[in-house]
Amino acid sequence: MEKESQRYVELEPVVISRYQIRKRIFDVLASSILIVCCIPLFLILSVSIVLNSGIPIFFLQKRTGKDNQLFTIFKFRTMKGSKHNRPTHAYEWKEGVPDSFTFKTDFDASVTPIGRVLRKYSLDELPQLFNVFFGEMSIVGPRPEIPEITTHYTSLQAKRLQVKPGITGYAQVNGRSEINHGKKIEYDLYYIENQSILFDLKIIIATIKCVVKGKGAF
């Protein structure tokens, strides 16, 4: 029997449910409408980024999606250009990702002035609406991690990869970047075990409240 501390290799297939079909329909409709409505905002933010810190406008990065499949996530660039070309993260965990691990810090000198505003109100995440439209992400789901982290998942931690990653999720509305990895896994697994359209709507409403308050960062 595989020990919990061993790295995750495969995921068991998940049967498509009515909920998943309805959720995909909602994702396509919601992302399409929001993309069209946000075109003026996209233009304003793009110009602001160029005037403030030059190009590129977007930050592209490989993330781990559903069933351990890699995809490219889209975000507005919030850091200085050179920082976005830094080497990939390297971790040497041998017994899974530590529960105490936190990826983000409260302050980073490499974040641009406009980038701080974008992060505070999660405006840098808006381009991920295209990821949702293309079917790589969902509006609601566990936030996608970089593969340098997910390759160290235990079988328990890897259960969060059984669903599409989301722009927002249950962990985000319960602490955003302020919670550690162990707590995030706990929230994500609770979400996976209790998925429903009503639960998704509650998370979306809670997300709007968090964004308006500018508390934490996604």
Side-chain angles (χ1 to χ4, degrees), residues 51-92:
L51 294 178
N52 183 261
S53 59
I55 56 175
I57 295 173
F58 299 103
F59 169 54
L60 309 180
Q61 187 183 50
K62 289 294 182 182
R63 297 289 179 94
T64 305
K66 183 178 182 295
D67 297 331
N68 214 26
Q69 297 298 309
L70 296 182
F71 71 98
T72 301
I73 197 171
F74 307 135
K75 300 180 69 173
F76 279 121
R77 182 173 60 83
T78 60
M79 300 173 68
K80 297 176 183 178
S82 60
K83 293 295 181 180
H84 274 305
N85 294 322
R86 58 189 173 186
T88 56
H89 300 272
Y91 301 104
E92 298 181 354

Side-chain angles (χ1 to χ4, degrees), residues 13-25 66 162-163 191-192 194-197 200:
V14 178
V15 178
I16 297 177
S17 65
R18 290 184 180 179
Y19 160 72
Q20 290 173 309
I21 295 174
R22 292 169 181 170
K23 183 171 185 176
R24 178 56 187 155
I25 293 174
K66 183 178 182 295
Q162 291 180 344
V163 300
Y191 169 75
I192 291 173
N194 297 276
Q195 294 177 85
S196 71
I197 293 298
D200 287 345

